[in-house]
Amino acid sequence: MTKQRRIGSKATAVFLAFALVQICIQLSFAAPASPSAPAVVPQQFIARLTTTGNQPITVNNASAASGASLLTGANIVTPAGVSATIDLGALGTVELQPDSEIQLDFDDSGNVRVKVLRGCVVIKKNGPGEAEAYTAEGASEKTNSNRKGMGFCFAGGGLSPFGQAAAAAAGGGSGGGIGTAALVAILAGGGALVGGLIWAFSGGGNSSPS
């Protein structure tokens, strides 16, 4: 009986040890992740595109039109005659003029960065963070508490204010003054007026008495 009891006790001990190992394995799979485990990445912010007349533009070398979704890092190109607006929701908007190219970056902190490669862009910033227009050559302009909107055109590696660049392209000069053709017409008209006054006061308008 003693020998049989010893055999039974050993068998019971082996069974309990095996059961304990199985329980430990199950608990290890059910244990929560350690603090060093990487956090879950939140869903990436998405912008929405609208184009003039729903005409196509190019996003990352592919055709895109109104309603397309844009992720940060997108390269955006507009052809001649077609402009585009990128709606960043609470962050604001980025308006791309025709025949322009930019690289657009934005993050969950509200920061918006626009690399101007050619053409013109208008940025309207809302919410937290700042917006920056910059070039590969090192030019940079940023929004602040007093400037929430700004527009610039790429000019020889620099950034020219959008209004001035548009006036220069139209032939009106950087200050939006009188164009050359208009100035010539005014001077010509003024010369005719002066000549007429001289002729009138010199008696050219009256016939000499007989």
Side-chain angles (χ1 to χ4, degrees):
M1 289 297 294
T2 303
K3 185 177 181 180
Q4 290 179 349
R5 288 179 181 177
R6 288 178 180 177
I7 294 174
S9 298
K10 289 181 179 180
T12 303
V14 170
F15 174 77
L16 291 175
F18 178 78
L20 182 61
V21 169
Q22 293 299 316
I23 292 172
C24 291
I25 293 174
Q26 294 298 324
L27 289 175
S28 67
F29 281 111
S34 63
S36 60
V40 177
V41 178
Q43 185 176 5
Q44 193 172 25
F45 185 81
I46 298 176
R48 299 294 178 185
L49 175 68
T50 302
T51 66
T52 303
N54 198 30
Q55 299 180 70
I57 64 171
T58 302
V59 177
N60 295 333
N61 297 319
S63 179
S66 295
S69 300
L70 302 179
L71 297 178
T72 183
N75 178 271
I76 307 165
V77 181
T78 55
V82 181
S83 60
T85 299
I86 298 100
D87 185 359
L88 297 169
L91 304 186
T93 59
V94 174
E95 299 174 6
L96 194 57
Q97 301 302 307
D99 197 19
S100 301
E101 180 178 2
I102 65 169
Q103 177 182 310
L104 176 63
D105 294 278
F106 47 86
D107 58 37
D108 292 333
S109 297
N111 299 306
V112 178
R113 301 186 75 235
V114 179
K115 184 177 183 180
V116 186
L117 301 172
R118 62 183 171 90
C120 303
V121 62
V122 176
I123 304 172
K124 299 176 182 178
K125 184 69 178 72
N126 295 326
E130 67 179 13
E132 178 185 13
Y134 69 102
T135 69
E137 291 77 6
S140 175
E141 296 284 348
K142 297 181 180 181
T143 59
N144 52 46
S145 58
N146 297 320
R147 180 170 71 169
K148 291 296 185 181
M150 58 185 185
F152 292 97
C153 296
F154 183 87
L159 292 170
S160 176
F162 177 61
Q164 294 182 12
S174 61
I178 299 172
T180 302
L183 182 60
V184 170
I186 291 172
L187 291 176
L193 176 60
V194 171
L197 290 174
I198 293 174
W199 179 79
F201 281 103
S202 65
N206 299 317
S207 60
S208 60
S210 54

